[in-house]
Amino acid sequence: MKANSDYDIIVIGAGHAGCEAALAAARMGFSTAIFTMSLDTIGQMSCNPAIGGLAKSHLVKEIDALGGEMAKITDLAGIQFKVLNKSKGPAVWATRVQADRALYRKYMREALEAQAGLDIKQESVEEILIDENKVCGVSTNEQAYRSKAVIIATGTFLNGLIHIGLENSPAGRIGEPPSINLSKSLHELGFKIGRLKTGTPPRLDAKSIDFSVMEVQNGDVPPPPMSLFTKEITNPQLPCYMTYTNEHTHQAILDNLKYSPLYSGIIKGIGPRYCPSIEDKVVRFKDKPRHQIFLEPEGLDTDEYYANGISTSLPREAQIIFVRTIKGLENAEIRKFGYAIEYDFVYPTQLNPTLETKLIEGLFLAGQINGTSGYEEAAAQGLMAGINAALKLKNKAPLIPGRHEAYVGVLIDDLVTKGTEEPYRMFTSRAEYRLLLRQDNADLRLMQKGYDLGLINNEQYDSFLRKKEAVGKEMKRIKSTRVKPQIINPILGKLGGPPVKEDVSLYQLLKRPEVKYYNIAEVSPANNGISQDVINQVELQTKYKGYIDRQAEQAEKFKKVEEKSIPEGFVYRGINGLSKEIVEKLEEIRPLNLGQASRIPGVTPAAISLLMVAVAREGRSK
């Protein structure tokens, strides 16, 4: 087929990964096209109407600091904002935002349409075009398009199959056709492909819900924005509600288990361990008398509520029965039934840390096609794929954040080094240096990189520099400013802390657990005032300095090992002491450095020692 359109970069799929990839590529100066089966589902929130949450908000803040779009759109569409885990340490603080689905789609589509150098195509991509193991374009159901790089971000659409009870039908999302031929094309190119499963709960009509018997879950006041660049949240804010399953719910589910595609063997794909269906919860946790359900509003102009916690693929009749056993849902009307979906994914160990495939040069994969779950994980990969595709075309070094630099670095390293057999979800526990990788300091860690890439504009960068300078000045001021006992002791007495006997610096006072920044500001306010964002940084850096310094020292030691690179094409066979199994794993992953090699499952510390000697020997010989 003759091509009649050329682009530098083509993106397949306009979900969270695809949108970030396309915007990044276009903003870095490359002619870009994004393909979607429907213009109306650009930026669609296929599952829960929320962005952020535990560990996931860290990714969103990092996307924001690097110049991505997700956090800004979240603030425009947000209808409830809440910081979780405030009673715990700052490493696990996490912002979660309920979003209006329709507004999220609207604003994301507007961002794509307004982006110079980006074309949006409503066509189905059927085949990846290859010339001598190098991507050269795509073929759609209408024509062929040439390009220098292609990013596949197809979500759950590859060979998607939806299950409701014992019925199933091909679909990428409910009511939308799957991508069959593209999956076939990847298989024919030689990629190892697996099968995963995810699910969604029923959506309920608000008019049929008795909210008065449920626990109200309000957001924070004022709403804390997700983006560093948002000054104020202007949308009306809505509450969520919490209720619980009970023994009658569980019995109704068990009575209908024989109709579950999950338990009847119809579904072959592996589901998410950390977000199980309600059938899974009831079977696996038999001694648990109840499970939480959060009723989340789908938007400002709809009466639809998302029943978070009861994801199911039971038949429609069974869903009606068990939903109506739940307190407050006795008369609930289901607008959309829950379902499970199976889809193809590419085993991510077939990728380089840039998210470019090892098999085909110029072909990048991002999002659920790599075995992840969640909007945030997808968007982070999309941004990195877009950035690295652009850097490749510029003949510049790729951007590969280390595990000590960003959660997105942890995410991608886990995928390409360890692989996954189940939908991968980000947790704070996956990050070794999580006190360094807080959501509040994403800009301090990554915005310089975003600016250097051209994704952060001058106005945003100047604002960042002013904040950085303000934090430095205030840290210097509180260390040099001392107060007398007679001034500070009355305040310490009210706080229940021991008095001081001599002059003490504001810094030493702020290190005390009972003292907050506003307490020291009572006796010595900052000149001309400072923003809340700066205050938060000063307080965190002061109170947690010992822990932060210790992790920074550990990260520096880690970096020295990580930076010992393994030459491209290094020959592992013939290294005395390496088992055949370890050699095969090293040849499959092709680690960039000793740090990555050490994280490959099954590669022992002894093997790393042998590898270190062999790499050093080759370096000396050259």
Side-chain angles (χ1 to χ4, degrees), residues 186-299:
L186 289 171
H187 184 77
E188 289 173 350
L189 287 172
F191 287 101
K192 182 185 175 186
I193 292 174
R195 197 86 169 141
L196 293 178
K197 166 255 174 188
T198 189
T200 190
R203 273 65 159 181
L204 310 177
D205 187 333
K207 297 188 293 294
S208 65
I209 300 171
D210 184 0
F211 293 112
S212 68
V213 299
M214 299 180 184
E215 300 173 30
V216 181
Q217 305 282 307
N218 289 308
D220 292 347
V221 180
M226 184 68 85
S227 174
L228 297 155
F229 310 111
T230 300
K231 303 301 181 188
E232 184 183 11
I233 302 300
T234 57
N235 283 338
Q237 299 295 286
L238 300 181
C240 296
Y241 298 88
M242 186 166 67
T243 185
Y244 300 88
T245 63
N246 54 57
E247 59 182 10
H248 302 295
T249 313
H250 299 178
Q251 190 57 54
I253 290 167
L254 291 172
D255 288 345
N256 286 279
L257 212 55
K258 57 182 175 289
Y259 304 116
S260 165
L262 192 63
Y263 283 91
S264 60
I266 294 175
I267 290 179
K268 305 298 183 186
I270 299 170
R273 190 192 328 174
Y274 304 105
C275 189
S277 66
I278 188 61
E279 298 98 288
D280 257 349
K281 291 180 189 176
V282 170
V283 171
R284 285 164 52 190
F285 307 108
K286 293 179 180 177
D287 297 332
K288 195 166 184 178
R290 64 180 190 173
H291 297 280
Q292 285 181 338
I293 303 168
F294 291 94
L295 294 179
E296 302 169 348
E298 298 254 319

Side-chain angles (χ1 to χ4, degrees), residues 5 126 130 308 426 440 606:
S5 293
E126 305 289 314
I130 306 298
N308 193 341
M426 180 51 72
D440 64 87

